[in-house]
Amino acid sequence: MKVKRLRWPIDYISQYEKMGVSCRCRCRYTKICRLWQEKKYMQLFSLVLLVLLFADAEGAAGDSASTIRSFAEQKSPLVDIRKKPVLNFTLSDGDEVGCIPIETQLSSGNSTIPIQLRPSSRVKRGNSTACRRGALRAEQTFKVEVGSCPNGTIPVRRTRDIFNLTSIFFQTRNVKDNNDLLKQSTLRNQFHRRKKNGPPGFFQPSESNSSTDDQGSPHEHAFVNVNKTEGPFRGMEVILNIWEPYVEDPEEFSLAQFWLISGSYSGNLSTNTKNYSTILNTIEAGWQVFEGLYGDNRSRLFLFWTADAYNDTGCYNLYCSGFVQTSDKVVVGGSFTPVSKVNSSQYEIELLVFRDEQSGNWWLMLNDEPVGYWPSHIFTGKLRDSAEYMEFGGEIINSKAGEKRRHTRTNMGSGYYPEAGDRVAAYQRNLQIVNENNQLRDAPISLGRAEQPACYNARISTDVPEWESHFFYGGNGHSKRCRHNITTAQ
C-alpha cells in the first residue's frame, strides 16, 4: 500500500516532464528527481508535503505543478510574453491576443528600473484649427471587439509571422576576412528585403565586397522633412489616413510613418555612456502592411527603434528589449478597422511622441491613449534628450531591385499618386513639432528626394488650409509611368 501511495509523485514527475523538464537531463539540478532515482522515498515524500504546505499557505493548494512552474518562471531572468496570459482572445482578424502582467513583457528585458505607468507631463497645445473634414477615427480591432485587458495587464499579440523572426533581424552570409578567406558571419539586420531600413535621405555607406544594383536600394520612399534649424525637437504629432495597400510579395512591405532622428550612418558609437554617440539613433512608428511579419495583409500599428544605425540594437514592436508598453487597450502590431476607401470615407489615426519632462522617456500616444515609452537610456546619441532631425512619409520594399526584372507592383499609400488629392491619395496632416518648451507648433516642411519619383512621390499641399502643414504621397509601383522612368543609382 505504501508503494501505491507513491504513485502520486510518479504522476507528479510525469507532469513535470510534460512541462519540458527532463528528470534524466536535470537530475543533478532537480532534488525531486534525484531523490526519486535514489529510492529515498521518505525524503521525497517529506519534500512533497512541504511543497503542498507551501502551496496551501500561498492559497494555491491542489495544483503543486503550477506552483513549481511559477517558481521556475520566477527564476527565469526573462519571462516569455506568450507563456503566461491572464486572458486569451481570438479576434475577427485572426489574431490571438493574450492579456499578460505588464511586468512580464518581453520588451522590458532585465531592467531593474521601475516601469513608468503614466507620463508625468503633457505637451502644451496652441489654438489648433485641425479639422477632420468628414474623416473618422480608425480604431484597433482589439479595442472594438474586446475593449481592454484587466488592470495591471497589457494585450500582446501572439505572432503568426510567415518568416521566423530571427530571419528578419539576423542573416548568415559569406563575408571576406583580412586574409580574403570566406567565413560565416551572423550579421544583425542585414537581409535587405526584410530589415527595417534607415530614414530617407540618410545614406548608408556602401560596404566593400557588397553588390549594388542598377536600381539602387530596394527601400523606396516618398517623404518630407523638417529643417534641422527648427530643432532641437522634443517630439512631434501627425494625423495619417489609414489604407491597406496592395503588397505583391510577402517579403515586401508598405508603410506610412514618422522618424525622429539623431546622428548619422557615418557617426561613431561612443563607449563612454557620459558622451553622446554620433551614430544614427531613431524612433519610428506608423501603420504597416507586411505579410512576412504579421501573416496577413492588414494595416497594423508598428514601432521601431535603433541606437546604432540598425546594427545590433532595435527591432519591431515588442520583439526585443526596448519599448515598454503600459496601455491595456492598444495592441502593438494590432490591426486597424475600418480603413480608408477611394472616394469614400476616410479613416485616420493620430500619433504623438514627446519626451517626458521628469523621466526623460519618449512617450507614444495613439488617438490620445498613452501606449508606452522608449526609455531614454536605450539610446546612445543625442536622442537621449532631443531629436536633431524629423521626417514623415511612406516607404516600400522593391524585392525586384537588382534582378534585371520589372519594378514591384507594391502600392504605397492608397496606390494613387499625390496629385489625386483628398479622398483618393494618402496624406499626413497637421504635422507639428514639440519644441524645447514642450509646446506643439506647426512644422515647416520641405520635400525630400524620392529614390524613384516616377514610381512613388510626395507633394506638399495647401489644398486644405485647416490641415495646416500637410502633404499627399503614394504611387502604384510597376506601371507605364514607373517602368519608363526608373532612376538608376549613381
Side-chain angles (χ1 to χ4, degrees):
M1 294 296 294
K2 290 183 179 180
V3 174
K4 289 182 179 180
R5 289 176 183 173
L6 291 174
R7 288 296 304 171
W8 187 89
I10 294 174
D11 294 338
Y12 166 74
I13 291 174
S14 177
Q15 293 178 13
Y16 195 69
E17 289 181 328
K18 287 178 182 178
M19 293 158 50
V21 179
S22 170
C23 288
R24 291 188 298 273
C25 297
R26 300 195 179 186
C27 172
R28 53 182 167 176
Y29 304 115
T30 308
K31 191 172 183 179
I32 292 175
C33 295
R34 186 174 67 252
L35 292 175
W36 179 254
Q37 289 182 347
E38 292 175 1
K39 310 298 182 184
K40 296 181 180 179
Y41 302 125
M42 292 305 297
Q43 293 182 42
L44 176 59
F45 190 67
S46 299
L47 179 60
V48 170
L49 285 177
L50 286 173
V51 170
L52 287 173
L53 288 172
F54 175 78
D56 184 67
E58 294 295 322
D63 189 2
S64 58
S66 65
T67 301
I68 296 297
R69 187 182 296 113
S70 297
F71 179 72
E73 287 177 345
Q74 289 172 13
K75 294 175 68 176
S76 172
L78 190 62
V79 178
D80 191 326
I81 60 177
R82 299 174 184 84
K83 287 186 179 179
K84 221 179 158 185
V86 174
L87 292 172
N88 282 313
F89 301 96
T90 300
L91 307 180
S92 62
D93 62 5
D95 280 1
E96 291 186 6
V97 176
C99 299
I100 66 165
I102 188 172
E103 68 276 5
T104 64
Q105 62 184 294
L106 183 65
S107 58
S108 62
N110 286 326
S111 176
T112 57
I113 302 174
I115 293 176
Q116 183 184 4
L117 296 179
R118 304 288 292 184
S120 66
S121 59
R122 296 276 182 164
V123 295
K124 303 166 188 174
R125 295 184 178 276
N127 297 321
S128 175
T129 58
C131 173
R132 291 190 178 273
R133 279 174 58 95
L136 303 171
R137 175 171 285 183
E139 300 288 359
Q140 286 201 302
T141 306
F142 177 81
K143 184 177 180 181
V144 172
E145 297 180 4
V146 178
S148 66
C149 283
N151 289 338
T153 67
I154 61 171
V156 175
R157 179 181 179 272
R158 296 190 177 207
T159 181
R160 54 190 174 98
D161 54 300
I162 289 178
F163 304 115
N164 187 297
L165 284 176
T166 304
S167 71
I168 293 177
F169 303 121
F170 296 86
Q171 175 207 8
T172 300
R173 70 171 185 177
N174 289 324
V175 297
K176 291 186 177 181
D177 61 16
N178 293 332
N179 297 319
D180 205 35
L181 299 174
L182 286 175
K183 63 179 181 179
Q184 291 292 320
S185 176
T186 300
L187 300 177
R188 188 178 179 87
N189 280 333
Q190 292 298 320
F191 189 20
H192 69 277
R193 292 185 185 172
R194 299 178 196 164
K195 76 169 187 174
K196 189 69 179 70
N197 197 49
F202 284 71
F203 300 107
Q204 185 173 9
S206 58
E207 300 175 356
S208 60
N209 302 316
S210 66
S211 61
T212 58
D213 54 79
D214 63 349
Q215 295 180 19
S217 168
H219 291 262
E220 298 176 19
H221 305 83
F223 71 103
V224 300
N225 52 49
V226 181
N227 196 304
K228 181 180 179 180
T229 59
E230 300 292 332
F233 308 109
R234 296 297 177 91
M236 62 93 243
E237 185 176 53
V238 60
I239 299 174
L240 314 87
N241 61 345
I242 298 284
W243 298 87
E244 283 184 351
Y246 169 73
V247 177
E248 183 176 2
D249 192 294
E251 293 186 358
E252 300 177 343
F253 64 62
S254 181
L255 60 78
Q257 70 165 96
F258 68 81
W259 292 262
L260 287 173
I261 310 159
S262 73
S264 67
Y265 272 112
S266 58
N268 297 315
L269 181 61
S270 174
T271 57
N272 186 347
T273 57
K274 295 182 179 180
N275 298 328
Y276 290 131
S277 294
T278 56
I279 199 167
L280 192 69
N281 284 228
T282 71
I283 289 173
E284 308 172 35
W287 61 260
Q288 179 182 47
V289 175
F290 189 2
E291 184 181 357
L293 182 59
Y294 303 108
D296 62 23
N297 286 305
R298 296 180 183 272
S299 184
R300 297 175 175 276
L301 172 68
F302 87 91
L303 315 178
F304 205 92
W305 68 278
T306 184
D308 65 347
Y310 303 88
N311 288 311
D312 294 317
T313 63
C315 67
Y316 275 108
N317 303 337
L318 304 180
Y319 291 129
C320 69
S321 179
F323 185 85
V324 178
Q325 182 172 339
T326 60
S327 173
D328 57 7
K329 301 178 181 66
V330 175
V331 177
V332 176
S335 67
F336 290 106
T337 185
V339 298
S340 302
K341 302 294 183 183
V342 173
N343 287 321
S344 185
S345 297
Q346 300 297 292
Y347 290 90
E348 305 173 326
I349 59 170
E350 182 176 340
L351 296 174
L352 167 66
V353 174
F354 67 96
R355 187 176 181 274
D356 186 68
E357 291 182 334
Q358 182 175 321
S359 66
N361 298 326
W362 290 91
W363 274 87
L364 172 67
M365 308 274 288
L366 169 65
N367 294 342
D368 300 322
E369 167 70 15
V371 181
Y373 60 90
W374 290 271
S376 60
H377 65 79
I378 67 175
F379 299 105
T380 61
K382 289 184 177 180
L383 201 53
R384 291 183 204 159
D385 298 313
S386 61
E388 296 179 279
Y389 312 94
M390 188 184 305
E391 296 177 340
F392 305 86
E395 177 183 352
I396 65 97
I397 286 183
N398 174 21
S399 64
K400 308 298 187 292
E403 297 180 9
K404 306 295 183 182
R405 298 164 62 187
R406 63 166 174 80
H407 192 281
T408 180
R409 290 190 173 93
T410 289
N411 292 177
M412 179 187 291
S414 67
Y416 284 82
Y417 290 96
E419 53 265 30
D422 188 23
R423 294 171 57 83
V424 178
Y427 60 77
Q428 297 188 28
R429 67 177 181 86
N430 295 99
L431 277 59
Q432 298 192 78
I433 63 175
V434 180
N435 63 19
E436 290 185 286
N437 297 320
N438 219 30
Q439 294 177 323
L440 279 168
R441 64 180 181 85
D442 195 41
I445 57 176
S446 57
L447 192 63
R449 178 179 173 271
E451 293 90 348
Q452 300 295 343
C455 304
Y456 313 101
N457 212 338
R459 176 178 69 90
I460 297 174
S461 170
T462 57
D463 296 350
V464 190
E466 57 266 37
W467 280 3
E468 300 173 333
S469 182
H470 67 279
F471 68 99
F472 294 94
Y473 66 99
N476 61 357
H478 176 73
S479 63
K480 184 176 180 180
R481 171 174 170 174
C482 176
R483 180 172 65 251
H484 295 301
N485 295 279
I486 292 292
T487 302
T488 59
Q490 300 297 320

